[in-house]
């Protein structure tokens, strides 16, 4: 009888051992066949043999997630891969719908996103042969409590279900479903990995040893139970997004003996107080940034929902990426003239801001800078601007007019998408390209000014949703025929030729009768940059407003 049982196992490579389903995948890519109809009902799996991308895809489905990202209904809670070998080959095991990237297996590597968002998983034993673990391999596993490592693994180890790296003394993953309210990181750990504590909502306190040197991005994201972070003096580097979405964090403190950072009223700075690194998200009311601060770091005020006013210092030169993103209580911001650099997403989702003047000297408004600023009524752009980024003004649904400065050459995809009340848009002579969906959804657009002598090349549906029967397209004299025969413009019903001016800049004249932006849009008040002014003597002049 025993001989018959062994023969059956060899033929199918699968057997139910007690509560466990035991499978040996001799040929990579065959797990789907071996597990058969038990794929979505198995709760405990011990798997050995060779696993490629196709097999990992099956395991992910067993653990509750489809390749499409939807729920599978799989119930795999406990996974033991001790004697498995992850090998290259097979299909991709995950597709990232944000970056349009496929993820494949590599030899002896627990790859990026390998168990990402597997809702049924409660515990995992990683293979003893694994030598590398990609970022976010266990992120967004809502029920994961334990990641264990065989003692014979040369690169990793675990202590009570928390995963560490041997070679770089790194805390890789504290599983998010653990219920402890306080955790002490073991002495000797130097690095805290990307998303190491992300989504650990039960934690209220983390104790750091005096050996911590580096904290990676998103390390504590969504740790909503933590109100104060007491970092050790040994810390040397902190990635910008380390404390994102810690909505109850009131203070980030470091000892005075710390050589790299200093904290004041719970706000984190570099040691010399020239860089504001991070303001905790629970700050309320108003905040004045001290003189001497020249750089606001990436994500410095990200998600500070209750800050109503932030005063920026004279001498500030750089506003980092996503610095004020999701500051939903901020109604206005005065950017000092000293600012020369504004990073992508800097004011993204600042839903209450009504107006912004970008200083002369700034050369780029990059990706998503004002995306989702749904109450933004006006924005003054400097003549120094040379670059716009994708989605820069997307979703600014109260914006009624916008003039792009004359040195910008490319309108990127979705730059003005869904600016639902945008009536007037002016694009300068230097424009050579208009990207996909650049002004898509701008249903109120009445006047579109294009000063390029040669019609710009257009991506997909740049003016989708614009009423081309009503919207007037203004183009330079003697270019109407060219625009009529160019894709992206040929379906405009009303193309009007206008004179363009090449007059030189002069000082502002007080005898004006009418004033326009550089794009030809009327304005009642001077706007910083170049204005076109018609005076009582009948002359038209270009005015530089400083």
């Amino acid at each position: 009888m025993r001989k018959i049982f062994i023969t059956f196992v060899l033929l199918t490579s699968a057997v139910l051992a007690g509560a466990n389903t035991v499978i040996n995948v001799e040929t990579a890519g065959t797990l789907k066949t071996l597990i058969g109809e038990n794929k979505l009902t198995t709760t405990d799996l011990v798997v050995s043999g060779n696993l490629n991308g196709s097999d990992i895809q099956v395991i992910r489905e067993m653990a509750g997630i489809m390749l499409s990202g939807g729920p599978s209904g799989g119930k795999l809670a406990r996974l033991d891969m001790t004697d498995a070998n992850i090998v290259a080959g097979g299909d991709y095991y995950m597709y990232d719908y944000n970056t349009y990237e496929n993820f494949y297996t590599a030899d002896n590597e627990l790859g990026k996103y390998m168990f990402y968002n597997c809702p049924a998983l409660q515990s995992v034993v990683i293979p003893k042969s694994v030598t590398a673990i990609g970022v976010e391999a266990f992120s967004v596993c809502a029920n994961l409590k334990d990641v264990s490592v065989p003692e014979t693994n040369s690169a990793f180890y675990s202590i009570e279900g928390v995963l560490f790296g041997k070679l770089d003394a790194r805390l890789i993953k504290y599983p998010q479903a653990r219920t402890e309210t306080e955790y002490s990181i073991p002495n000797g750990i130097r690095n805290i990995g990307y998303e190491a504590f992300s989504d650990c909502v039960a934690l209220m306190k983390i104790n750091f040893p005096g050996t911590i040197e580096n904290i990676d991005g998103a390390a504590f994201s969504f740790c909503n139970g933590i109100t104060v972070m007491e970092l050790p003096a040994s810390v040397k580097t902190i990635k910008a997004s380390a404390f994102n979405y810690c909505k109850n964090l009131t203070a980030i403190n470091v000892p005075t003996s710390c050589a790299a950072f200093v904290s004041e009223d719970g706000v984190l700075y570099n040691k010399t107080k020239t860089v504001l690194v991070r303001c905790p998200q629970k700050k309320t009311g108003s905040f004045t940034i001290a003189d001497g601060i020249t750089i606001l770091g990436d994500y410095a005020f990200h998600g500070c929902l209750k800050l109503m006013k932030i005063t920026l210092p004279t001498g500030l030169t750089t506003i980092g990426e996503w610095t004020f993103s999701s500051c939903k209580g901020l109604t206005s911001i005065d950017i000092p003239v000293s600012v020369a650099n504004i990073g992508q997403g800097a004011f993204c989702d600042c839903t209450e801001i009504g107006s912004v003047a970008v200083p002369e000297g700034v050369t780029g408004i990059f990706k998503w800078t004002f995306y989702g600023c749904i109450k933004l009524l006006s924005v003054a752009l400097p003549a120094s601007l040379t670059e716009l980024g994708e989605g820069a003004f997307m979703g600014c649904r109260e914006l009624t007019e916008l003039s792009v400065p004359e040195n910008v050459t490319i309108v990127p995809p979705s730059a003005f998408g869904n600016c639902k009340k945008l009536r007037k848009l002016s694009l300068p002579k230097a424009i050579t390209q208009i990207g996909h969906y650049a002004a898509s959804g701008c249903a109120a657009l009445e006047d579109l000014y294009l000063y390029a002598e040669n019609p710009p090349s257009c991506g997909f549906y740049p003016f989708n949703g614009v009423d081309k029967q009503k919207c007037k397209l203004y183009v330079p004299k003697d270019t109407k025929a060219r625009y009529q025969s160019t894709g992206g413009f040929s379906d405009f019903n009303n193309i009007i030729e206008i004179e363009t001016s090449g007059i030189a800049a002069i000082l502002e004249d007080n005898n004006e009768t009418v004033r326009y932006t550089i794009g030809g849009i009327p304005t009642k008040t001077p706007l910083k940059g170049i204005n076109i002014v018609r005076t009582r003597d009948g002359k038209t002049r270009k005015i530089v407003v400083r």
Side-chain angles (χ1 to χ4, degrees):
M1 189 69 181
R2 179 178 175 84
K3 186 175 181 180
I4 294 172
F5 177 75
I6 293 172
T7 302
F8 175 77
V9 174
L10 291 174
L11 286 173
T12 65
S13 297
V15 64
L16 185 66
N20 293 333
T21 298
V22 180
I23 295 180
N24 177 41
V25 183
E26 294 181 357
T27 303
T30 61
L31 178 60
K32 183 176 181 180
T33 301
L34 295 171
I35 194 68
E37 62 184 14
N38 298 315
K39 181 173 69 172
L40 298 183
T41 58
T42 299
T43 59
D44 297 74
L45 176 64
V46 178
V47 61
S48 58
N50 300 310
L51 305 177
N52 66 15
S54 300
D55 301 310
I56 298 300
Q57 184 185 128
V58 172
I59 291 174
R60 285 176 54 79
E61 193 171 344
M62 293 175 70
I65 190 76
M66 300 283 288
L67 186 62
S68 65
S72 68
K75 296 176 172 58
L76 180 61
R78 289 161 288 278
L79 174 63
D80 187 340
M81 305 172 71
T82 299
D83 293 314
N85 298 307
I86 296 175
V87 298
D91 204 352
Y92 57 91
Y93 59 82
M94 182 179 162
Y95 177 72
D96 189 334
Y97 285 86
N98 292 319
T99 63
Y100 311 111
E101 185 178 0
N102 297 324
F103 293 91
Y104 297 87
T105 52
D107 288 347
N108 300 321
E109 181 176 338
L110 206 70
K112 183 177 181 180
Y113 296 136
M114 187 161 282
F115 297 107
Y116 180 89
N117 196 22
C118 288
L121 274 184
Q122 296 178 25
S123 67
V124 177
V125 182
I126 72 170
K128 62 187 178 184
S129 57
V130 160
T131 58
I133 298 178
V135 295
E136 299 183 79
F138 297 102
S139 291
V140 199
C141 290
N143 292 297
L144 187 64
K145 299 177 180 178
D146 188 289
V147 180
S148 297
V149 184
E151 291 184 2
T152 54
N153 187 287
S154 62
F156 305 101
Y157 68 100
S158 60
I159 300 176
E160 297 180 349
V162 181
L163 180 62
F164 298 89
K166 291 181 179 179
L167 304 180
D168 57 0
R170 180 179 301 272
L171 192 158
I172 297 171
K173 190 61 181 175
Y174 180 96
Q176 72 180 72
R178 296 178 71 89
T179 57
E180 297 95 335
T181 58
E182 183 173 346
Y183 178 71
S184 296
I185 299 172
N187 193 43
I189 297 300
R190 298 193 308 273
N191 303 293
I192 298 176
Y194 187 85
E195 289 199 356
F197 290 92
S198 65
D199 298 289
C200 294
V201 294
L203 276 176
M204 300 179 70
K205 184 179 182 182
I206 298 174
N207 300 311
F208 297 87
T211 54
I212 294 293
E213 296 178 357
N214 306 297
I215 299 174
D216 211 338
F220 309 105
S221 59
F222 296 100
C223 286
N224 293 330
I226 297 177
T227 58
V228 177
M229 199 74 75
E230 299 285 352
L231 302 179
S234 56
V235 67
K236 296 177 180 178
T237 67
I238 302 173
K239 289 290 182 66
S241 60
F243 306 104
N244 281 6
Y245 303 104
C246 295
K247 67 179 183 180
N248 292 309
L249 191 62
T250 61
I252 305 166
N253 297 326
V254 293
T256 56
S257 56
C258 181
F261 299 97
V262 64
S263 57
E264 186 175 303
D265 296 328
V267 178
L268 188 67
Y269 303 86
N270 71 333
K271 189 65 173 181
T272 57
K273 281 197 73 175
T274 57
V275 180
L276 192 155
V277 177
R278 191 61 164 105
C279 177
Q281 212 169 312
K282 198 68 182 289
K283 281 284 185 183
T284 61
S286 61
F287 185 81
T288 298
I289 300 171
D291 288 338
I293 301 294
T294 59
I295 297 172
L296 301 181
D298 297 348
Y299 298 99
F301 290 90
H302 169 75
C304 291
L305 303 178
K306 300 297 184 180
L307 276 179
M308 303 296 126
K309 183 179 180 181
I310 301 174
T311 303
L312 306 185
T314 56
L316 186 70
T317 63
T318 299
I319 296 173
E321 296 183 357
W322 312 100
T323 295
F324 298 105
S325 55
S326 297
C327 286
K328 294 178 182 288
L330 203 60
T331 57
S332 64
I333 191 86
D334 293 325
I335 304 175
V337 295
S338 55
V339 169
N341 305 291
I342 299 176
Q344 71 173 27
F347 300 96
C348 174
D349 200 32
C350 289
T351 54
E352 296 296 318
I353 282 184
S355 63
V356 173
V358 180
E360 191 65 37
V362 172
T363 60
I365 300 294
F366 301 113
K367 288 182 177 181
W368 320 116
T369 298
F370 295 102
Y371 173 86
C373 293
I374 59 175
K375 292 188 178 180
L376 187 65
L377 293 170
S378 65
V379 57
L381 300 178
S384 56
L385 197 71
T386 60
E387 182 178 351
L388 284 178
E390 180 179 354
F393 295 96
M394 188 176 181
C396 295
R397 61 192 189 200
E398 294 295 323
L399 199 62
T400 57
E401 66 175 71
L402 190 65
S403 179
V404 177
E406 60 185 358
N407 292 317
V408 174
T409 60
I410 296 173
V411 177
S414 303
F416 317 111
N418 290 322
C419 291
K420 295 181 181 298
K421 292 186 180 180
L422 189 67
R423 293 184 294 104
K424 297 180 181 180
L425 175 63
S426 176
L427 304 178
K429 184 176 181 179
I431 291 291
T432 59
Q433 296 178 40
I434 299 177
H436 308 317
Y437 308 103
S440 177
C442 296
L445 193 63
E446 299 172 354
D447 299 296
L448 174 60
Y449 293 83
L450 272 160
Y451 289 91
E453 297 283 344
N454 295 309
S457 62
C458 292
F460 299 127
Y461 308 111
F463 303 105
N464 183 50
V466 173
D467 188 341
K468 300 176 186 67
Q469 302 303 308
K470 294 181 179 180
C471 180
K472 301 180 184 69
L473 173 58
Y474 297 92
V475 300
K477 187 177 179 180
D478 300 327
T479 65
K480 179 177 179 178
R482 290 200 290 272
Y483 276 90
Q484 285 177 325
S485 61
T486 300
F489 310 107
S490 57
D491 49 354
F492 278 86
N493 189 55
N494 197 355
I495 300 179
I496 302 168
E497 293 184 346
I498 58 174
E499 294 280 357
T500 57
S501 173
I503 52 183
I506 60 170
L507 294 176
E508 187 169 0
D509 191 315
N510 291 325
N511 292 318
E512 66 185 68
T513 59
V514 65
R515 178 183 293 261
Y516 300 87
T517 66
I518 186 65
I521 298 173
T523 177
K524 293 181 180 180
T525 58
L527 296 177
K528 184 176 290 186
I530 298 174
N531 294 195
I532 304 297
V533 172
R534 185 171 297 157
T535 53
R536 292 192 181 97
D537 59 8
K539 295 181 179 180
T540 302
R541 295 169 177 156
K542 188 179 289 186
I543 301 296
V544 178
V545 180
R546 302 188 185 279

